[in-house]
Amino acid sequence: MKKKASIGIIIGNRDFFPDKLVAEARLDIIEQFEKLKLNYVILGENDTKLGGVETFKDAQKCAELFKQHADEINGVVVILPNFGDERGVAETLKLADLNVPVLIQAYPDELTKLDVARRRDSWCGKISVCNNLYQYGIKYTLTDKHVLHPKDPAFAKELADFVAVCRVVQGLRKVRIGAVGARPGGFNTVRYSEKILQRNGISVTTVDLSEILGNANKLTADHPEVKEHLDTILAYAPKGKTPDEAMIQIAKLDVVLKHFMDDNYLDATAIQCWTSLQQNYGCNVCTSMSMMSENMLPSACEVDVTGTLTMYAMQLASGSPSALVDWNNNYADDDTKCVLFHCGNWAKSFLPDIQISNAPILGTTVGVENTYGALDGRTPASPLTYGRISTDDPKGVIKVYLGEGELTNDPLNTFGNRAVAQIDELQDLMQYVCKNGFEHHVVMNASKTAAILEEALGNYMGWEVYNHSTSK
C-alpha cells in the first residue's frame, strides 16, 4: 500500500539562545501541520536537545530518521526559532540525500523582546542557513516575507503552496506517459525530444495505433467490459444525437485504452486522433480523453506528449483537472481577450453543459458521421492558469511559459469545447510564444498556481521558465 506523502521538519538551534524558543517552535509547527492535515517526520523531543538540530551528531540522527522515511518524504521544512546552526541544517540535508524541495522559515523578533534572554536573531540566521545550502548545492524555497511566524495565516498559505511544489516535483520526476499512435503528419508543432524528457525522469511508452484499433475491433457489443464502459460513459455525459453504434465504438476503444494504461502503469496519455482514428475506426476518442482527464489521468490529442506533460504538472499543482486547448481566435477587437478552443476533449469540470456530439471541422474531410465522440460545451467564468512545457531540441533544454488570467462569460457563438480568456498584456504574450517557437497548444487549469509551477519547474526541475504574470 502506498504511504501518504510526508514533510520532514528540521528545527534549527543554537545553544546560547533560550531553550524555550525551540520547545515553543516545535509545538507551533506541529499545530500548523495538523491543522492542514499534513503528515510530518520530526525528531522526538528526547532524540536531541528538545528535538532541535545543532551539532553534527544531531544532524546524523535527523538524517537517519529521514532516511528511514525516504519513500514517503517529498519535502523538508526548516524552522528557525533562533539564529540556528547553519552547518547542522546543511549537514542534515546532505546526509539524508533526499533530493526534495526545502522550505526555509524564520521567526520574527519582537521589538520589546530584544534582550539576551528573549531575542531570536532568526532574520540573520536565515541568511546564514541559505548561504550554506547554496555552498552545498542544495536547492531551497523562501517564504515571501523574510521572517514569518508559523501561526501567521500567511504561513499556512506558504506551507500549502510548498506542499504543492513538492507534489509537482515528485510527480514529474517519475511520470510515465503513453504515446498512442504516430504524430499526425500535419502537426510538426507537437514534435518533441523523448531523450531530453527521459534525462529529466519523464518516461514515454509508445504503442502503434493499429494495435489499439485492432484490439478494439475484436471486442463485441455484448462483452461485459464494453457494457460496463458504455454505462460509465452514459453516466458521464448525455449522448445527445450520437448513434448507438458510435457509442459502442467509443466504449470498445475506451476498454482497450484502459488496458494499455493499466498494463504500462501510465499516469497520462497523448493520443493520435485525426485523421487515422476517424478513417479507420469511425469515431473520435475525445470522450475517453475527457473522462481520463477528469479522473486525474490527463490525456492530450495529436500525440502532444509535452502538452499532456503540462496538463499533469498543472494538475499536480492545483489538485484539479487540466485541459489542452488551442490559442484559437481573437475576441472581437479586445486586445486582452482571446478564444480558446478544441474539438471536444476537455475534462467535464470545465463543461457544465457537456454533451457528446461530433466534430464539424474535422467532419468536412472525414465525414461528420465518423467524428461522434467529440464533446460540446462552454467553459464558464473561472480563475485561469495557463502554460506550456516544451523541449527545445536545438538547445537541448526544456523550456516553459506560464501565467494567470481569467476565463470570462463573454458571449461566444460557436461549437466544440470553447472558452474566452482575459489575459493582461496578451499581445506581448503572443509575441513571446511566437518568437520562442512554442506550440499552438496551451494548457489551462481553473486555478491560480503559476507561482507554484514557476518554483517547481524553474528552481527544482532546472527548466527555463518565463512567468508572463510577473514579467512586467
Side-chain angles (χ1 to χ4, degrees):
M1 182 177 176
K2 186 177 179 181
K3 294 182 179 179
K4 183 179 177 182
S6 299
I7 301 294
I9 300 174
I10 300 172
I11 302 179
N13 186 30
R14 187 158 283 198
D15 61 4
F16 50 76
F17 287 89
D19 289 346
K20 69 174 186 177
L21 297 179
V22 176
E24 290 170 356
R26 179 185 177 84
L27 295 175
D28 288 343
I29 197 62
I30 289 175
E31 179 183 340
Q32 294 311 305
F33 268 71
E34 291 182 348
K35 277 184 180 179
L36 293 173
K37 298 181 179 178
L38 299 174
N39 285 2
Y40 56 90
V41 177
I42 188 172
L43 284 170
E45 291 179 272
N46 299 319
D47 292 335
T48 62
K49 183 181 179 182
L50 300 173
V53 173
E54 180 177 5
T55 67
F56 184 71
K57 186 176 181 180
D58 296 341
Q60 287 179 307
K61 287 185 178 181
C62 190
E64 183 59 34
L65 176 65
F66 285 176
K67 284 182 178 180
Q68 293 170 12
H69 296 270
D71 60 338
E72 62 185 275
I73 293 177
N74 65 0
V76 172
V77 174
V78 175
I79 303 298
L80 297 174
N82 56 42
F83 190 97
D85 189 287
E86 64 266 29
R87 294 170 302 171
V89 172
E91 290 290 355
T92 299
L93 294 169
K94 176 187 174 182
L95 293 171
D97 195 25
L98 297 174
N99 191 27
V100 297
V102 178
L103 176 66
I104 313 296
Q105 178 273 353
Y107 273 75
D109 269 301
E110 298 177 50
L111 287 178
T112 57
K113 297 180 180 179
L114 289 176
D115 53 274
V116 173
R118 295 179 295 177
R119 67 186 298 133
R120 296 179 182 273
D121 293 1
S122 305
W123 180 288
C124 189
K126 181 174 180 177
I127 300 171
S128 294
V129 167
C130 292
N131 174 276
N132 275 254
L133 297 186
Y134 186 88
Q135 292 184 46
Y136 279 60
I138 297 171
K139 296 177 180 179
Y140 51 89
T141 296
L142 302 174
T143 53
D144 286 343
K145 284 186 173 183
H146 187 63
V147 290
L148 185 66
H149 198 287
K151 291 188 175 182
D152 189 317
F155 180 74
K157 174 67 165 54
E158 297 259 12
L159 183 56
D161 286 352
F162 175 71
V163 170
V165 169
C166 296
R167 280 199 309 267
V168 175
V169 173
Q170 183 187 53
L172 292 184
R173 284 176 174 167
K174 61 181 182 180
V175 62
R176 293 176 56 79
I177 299 174
V180 180
R183 170 184 55 78
F187 282 86
N188 282 1
T189 184
V190 296
R191 285 173 169 171
Y192 70 100
S193 171
E194 198 172 323
K195 291 182 179 180
I196 293 176
L197 293 183
Q198 190 64 69
R199 182 60 65 92
N200 286 267
I202 300 156
S203 300
V204 179
T205 298
T206 62
V207 64
D208 196 278
L209 183 61
S210 64
E211 294 183 41
I212 299 295
L213 300 186
N215 288 332
N217 280 324
K218 292 175 185 177
L219 296 172
T220 61
D222 58 356
H223 190 285
E225 282 187 285
V226 174
K227 289 183 176 180
E228 179 186 351
H229 280 244
L230 180 58
D231 288 342
T232 301
I233 292 167
L234 291 171
Y236 181 75
K239 63 177 283 192
K241 297 179 180 179
T242 305
D244 291 341
E245 297 79 8
M247 294 297 299
I248 292 171
Q249 287 291 90
I250 295 167
K252 292 195 295 182
L253 185 58
D254 195 61
V255 170
V256 176
L257 287 172
K258 186 177 188 306
H259 286 176
F260 172 63
M261 291 200 70
D262 291 347
D263 291 346
N264 291 281
Y265 301 93
L266 301 177
D267 302 294
T269 51
I271 302 174
Q272 179 183 353
C273 47
W274 60 347
T275 56
S276 180
L277 190 63
Q278 293 77 19
Q279 292 173 330
N280 296 301
Y281 189 71
C283 73
N284 270 33
V285 69
C286 300
T287 300
S288 294
M289 297 169 71
S290 172
M291 293 172 67
M292 286 189 282
S293 295
E294 182 71 16
N295 290 316
M296 310 300 272
L297 297 168
S299 187
C301 54
E302 294 151 17
V303 201
D304 188 353
V305 168
T306 51
T308 201
L309 175 64
T310 312
M311 294 173 70
Y312 189 63
M314 287 196 179
Q315 167 187 301
L316 290 169
S318 68
S320 64
S322 304
L324 186 80
V325 311
D326 283 351
W327 289 117
N328 214 74
N329 314 89
N330 59 291
Y331 189 80
D333 59 356
D334 191 331
D335 287 344
T336 68
K337 293 179 181 177
C338 66
V339 176
L340 307 178
F341 175 84
H342 238 164
C343 299
N345 62 354
W346 298 357
K348 185 177 181 178
S349 294
F350 293 97
L351 307 171
D353 58 344
I354 189 172
Q355 180 173 273
I356 300 174
S357 184
N358 53 43
I361 294 177
L362 183 55
T364 61
T365 57
V366 302
V368 173
E369 69 277 5
N370 294 313
T371 67
Y372 283 104
L375 297 173
D376 186 77
R378 164 68 192 269
T379 301
S382 68
L384 170 65
T385 294
Y386 60 85
R388 175 77 204 194
I389 298 170
S390 181
T391 59
D392 191 324
D393 299 18
K395 295 181 179 179
V397 301
I398 295 178
K399 62 185 181 182
V400 184
Y401 75 85
L402 47 83
E404 295 177 350
E406 302 291 336
L407 296 177
T408 76
N409 285 328
D410 290 303
L412 185 62
N413 184 23
T414 187
F415 51 85
N417 289 170
R418 54 208 186 269
V420 176
Q422 192 280 322
I423 298 169
D424 291 342
E425 308 296 338
L426 176 60
Q427 302 307 311
D428 289 345
L429 174 62
M430 291 299 100
Q431 291 277 325
Y432 184 87
V433 168
C434 293
K435 287 180 178 179
N436 288 276
F438 280 98
E439 298 80 352
H440 70 294
H441 287 164
V442 66
V443 173
M444 68 176 183
N445 190 280
S447 66
K448 296 284 188 176
T449 50
I452 291 169
L453 290 161
E454 181 179 13
E455 181 70 5
L457 306 183
N459 188 16
Y460 293 104
M461 298 303 292
W463 301 346
E464 296 181 0
V465 178
Y466 167 74
N467 186 341
H468 182 67
S469 296
T470 58
S471 66
K472 299 297 181 181

